[in-house]
Short mmCIF file of all heavy atoms in Angstrom, two decimals:
data_model
loop_
_atom_site.label_atom_id
_atom_site.label_comp_id
_atom_site.label_asym_id
_atom_site.label_seq_id
_atom_site.Cartn_x
_atom_site.Cartn_y
_atom_site.Cartn_z
N GLU A 567 26.83 -115.05 -73.65
CA GLU A 567 28.22 -114.96 -74.10
C GLU A 567 29.10 -114.23 -73.08
O GLU A 567 30.24 -114.63 -72.84
CB GLU A 567 28.27 -114.25 -75.45
CG GLU A 567 27.65 -115.06 -76.58
CD GLU A 567 27.63 -114.29 -77.89
OE1 GLU A 567 28.08 -113.12 -77.88
OE2 GLU A 567 27.17 -114.85 -78.90
N LEU A 568 28.58 -113.16 -72.48
CA LEU A 568 29.37 -112.41 -71.51
C LEU A 568 29.67 -113.26 -70.27
O LEU A 568 30.81 -113.30 -69.79
CB LEU A 568 28.62 -111.14 -71.10
CG LEU A 568 28.53 -110.02 -72.14
CD1 LEU A 568 27.72 -108.87 -71.58
CD2 LEU A 568 29.90 -109.54 -72.56
N ILE A 569 28.65 -113.94 -69.75
CA ILE A 569 28.86 -114.76 -68.54
C ILE A 569 29.77 -115.94 -68.84
O ILE A 569 30.62 -116.31 -68.03
CB ILE A 569 27.50 -115.22 -67.99
CG1 ILE A 569 26.67 -114.02 -67.52
CG2 ILE A 569 27.69 -116.19 -66.82
CD1 ILE A 569 25.28 -114.37 -67.07
N SER A 570 29.61 -116.56 -70.02
CA SER A 570 30.45 -117.71 -70.37
C SER A 570 31.90 -117.30 -70.56
O SER A 570 32.81 -118.07 -70.26
CB SER A 570 29.92 -118.37 -71.64
OG SER A 570 28.60 -118.82 -71.47
N TYR A 571 32.14 -116.10 -71.05
CA TYR A 571 33.52 -115.64 -71.25
C TYR A 571 34.18 -115.22 -69.94
O TYR A 571 35.39 -115.42 -69.76
CB TYR A 571 33.52 -114.47 -72.24
CG TYR A 571 34.88 -113.92 -72.54
CD1 TYR A 571 35.78 -114.62 -73.34
CD2 TYR A 571 35.29 -112.69 -72.02
CE1 TYR A 571 37.04 -114.11 -73.61
CE2 TYR A 571 36.54 -112.18 -72.29
CZ TYR A 571 37.42 -112.89 -73.09
OH TYR A 571 38.67 -112.39 -73.34
N ARG A 572 33.40 -114.67 -69.02
CA ARG A 572 33.99 -114.09 -67.81
C ARG A 572 33.87 -114.99 -66.59
O ARG A 572 34.73 -114.95 -65.70
CB ARG A 572 33.32 -112.74 -67.49
CG ARG A 572 33.51 -111.71 -68.58
CD ARG A 572 32.76 -110.43 -68.25
NE ARG A 572 32.89 -109.42 -69.31
CZ ARG A 572 32.32 -108.24 -69.29
NH1 ARG A 572 31.56 -107.90 -68.24
NH2 ARG A 572 32.48 -107.39 -70.29
N HIS A 573 32.82 -115.80 -66.50
CA HIS A 573 32.57 -116.54 -65.26
C HIS A 573 32.46 -118.04 -65.52
O HIS A 573 33.42 -118.77 -65.34
CB HIS A 573 31.29 -116.01 -64.60
CG HIS A 573 31.29 -114.55 -64.33
ND1 HIS A 573 31.98 -113.99 -63.28
CD2 HIS A 573 30.71 -113.52 -64.99
CE1 HIS A 573 31.82 -112.68 -63.30
NE2 HIS A 573 31.05 -112.36 -64.32
N LEU A 574 31.27 -118.50 -65.93
CA LEU A 574 30.98 -119.92 -66.11
C LEU A 574 30.41 -120.15 -67.50
O LEU A 574 29.85 -119.24 -68.12
CB LEU A 574 29.96 -120.39 -65.06
CG LEU A 574 30.39 -120.28 -63.60
CD1 LEU A 574 29.20 -120.52 -62.70
CD2 LEU A 574 31.48 -121.27 -63.26
N ASN A 575 30.50 -121.37 -67.96
CA ASN A 575 29.96 -121.72 -69.27
C ASN A 575 28.47 -121.96 -69.13
O ASN A 575 28.03 -122.99 -68.61
CB ASN A 575 30.65 -122.98 -69.81
CG ASN A 575 30.21 -123.32 -71.21
OD1 ASN A 575 29.52 -122.52 -71.86
ND2 ASN A 575 30.57 -124.49 -71.68
N VAL A 576 27.66 -121.01 -69.58
CA VAL A 576 26.20 -121.11 -69.50
C VAL A 576 25.56 -121.00 -70.89
O VAL A 576 24.44 -120.53 -71.02
CB VAL A 576 25.63 -120.02 -68.56
CG1 VAL A 576 26.00 -120.27 -67.13
CG2 VAL A 576 26.10 -118.63 -69.00
N MET A 577 26.29 -121.43 -71.92
CA MET A 577 25.76 -121.33 -73.28
C MET A 577 24.54 -122.23 -73.49
O MET A 577 23.73 -121.98 -74.38
CB MET A 577 26.85 -121.70 -74.28
CG MET A 577 27.98 -120.70 -74.35
SD MET A 577 27.44 -119.01 -74.72
CE MET A 577 26.83 -119.20 -76.38
N ASP A 578 24.40 -123.29 -72.69
CA ASP A 578 23.24 -124.18 -72.78
C ASP A 578 22.15 -123.85 -71.77
O ASP A 578 21.17 -124.58 -71.67
CB ASP A 578 23.69 -125.64 -72.58
CG ASP A 578 24.63 -126.10 -73.68
OD1 ASP A 578 24.54 -125.53 -74.79
OD2 ASP A 578 25.44 -127.01 -73.43
N GLU A 579 22.34 -122.77 -71.00
CA GLU A 579 21.40 -122.44 -69.92
C GLU A 579 20.56 -121.23 -70.31
O GLU A 579 20.58 -120.21 -69.63
CB GLU A 579 22.16 -122.18 -68.62
CG GLU A 579 23.09 -123.29 -68.18
CD GLU A 579 22.34 -124.53 -67.76
OE1 GLU A 579 21.13 -124.44 -67.48
OE2 GLU A 579 22.97 -125.60 -67.74
N SER A 580 19.81 -121.32 -71.41
CA SER A 580 18.99 -120.19 -71.85
C SER A 580 17.91 -119.86 -70.83
O SER A 580 17.57 -118.69 -70.61
CB SER A 580 18.35 -120.50 -73.21
OG SER A 580 19.34 -120.73 -74.17
N TYR A 581 17.32 -120.88 -70.22
CA TYR A 581 16.24 -120.68 -69.26
C TYR A 581 16.74 -119.92 -68.03
O TYR A 581 16.10 -118.97 -67.56
CB TYR A 581 15.67 -122.04 -68.86
CG TYR A 581 14.47 -122.00 -67.96
CD1 TYR A 581 13.22 -121.66 -68.46
CD2 TYR A 581 14.57 -122.30 -66.61
CE1 TYR A 581 12.10 -121.62 -67.65
CE2 TYR A 581 13.47 -122.26 -65.78
CZ TYR A 581 12.24 -121.93 -66.30
OH TYR A 581 11.14 -121.89 -65.49
N VAL A 582 17.91 -120.30 -67.52
CA VAL A 582 18.46 -119.65 -66.33
C VAL A 582 18.94 -118.24 -66.65
O VAL A 582 18.71 -117.30 -65.89
CB VAL A 582 19.60 -120.51 -65.75
CG1 VAL A 582 20.24 -119.82 -64.55
CG2 VAL A 582 19.09 -121.88 -65.35
N VAL A 583 19.59 -118.07 -67.80
CA VAL A 583 20.11 -116.74 -68.17
C VAL A 583 18.97 -115.77 -68.43
O VAL A 583 19.08 -114.57 -68.12
CB VAL A 583 21.03 -116.87 -69.40
CG1 VAL A 583 21.47 -115.50 -69.88
CG2 VAL A 583 22.24 -117.71 -69.06
N ASN A 584 17.85 -116.26 -68.96
CA ASN A 584 16.69 -115.39 -69.16
C ASN A 584 16.15 -114.88 -67.82
O ASN A 584 15.74 -113.72 -67.70
CB ASN A 584 15.60 -116.15 -69.92
CG ASN A 584 14.52 -115.25 -70.46
OD1 ASN A 584 14.78 -114.11 -70.82
ND2 ASN A 584 13.30 -115.73 -70.49
N GLN A 585 16.17 -115.74 -66.80
CA GLN A 585 15.76 -115.30 -65.47
C GLN A 585 16.74 -114.28 -64.89
O GLN A 585 16.34 -113.31 -64.24
CB GLN A 585 15.65 -116.51 -64.54
CG GLN A 585 14.52 -117.46 -64.90
CD GLN A 585 14.48 -118.66 -63.99
OE1 GLN A 585 15.39 -118.89 -63.18
NE2 GLN A 585 13.44 -119.47 -64.11
N ILE A 586 18.03 -114.49 -65.14
CA ILE A 586 19.04 -113.51 -64.66
C ILE A 586 18.80 -112.16 -65.32
O ILE A 586 18.87 -111.12 -64.66
CB ILE A 586 20.45 -114.04 -64.97
CG1 ILE A 586 20.73 -115.32 -64.18
CG2 ILE A 586 21.49 -112.99 -64.62
CD1 ILE A 586 22.04 -115.99 -64.55
N LYS A 587 18.50 -112.18 -66.62
CA LYS A 587 18.25 -110.92 -67.33
C LYS A 587 17.04 -110.19 -66.75
O LYS A 587 17.06 -108.96 -66.58
CB LYS A 587 18.02 -111.23 -68.80
CG LYS A 587 17.75 -110.02 -69.67
CD LYS A 587 17.30 -110.44 -71.06
CE LYS A 587 15.89 -111.00 -71.04
NZ LYS A 587 15.37 -111.29 -72.39
#
Side-chain angles (χ1 to χ4, degrees):
E567 292 176 358
L568 289 178
I569 295 175
S570 300
Y571 180 74
R572 298 177 182 179
H573 304 283
L574 299 169
N575 185 10
V576 291
M577 292 303 294
D578 296 334
E579 305 292 342
S580 299
Y581 185 76
V582 177
V583 174
N584 194 33
Q585 292 178 351
I586 296 173
K587 180 190 72 174

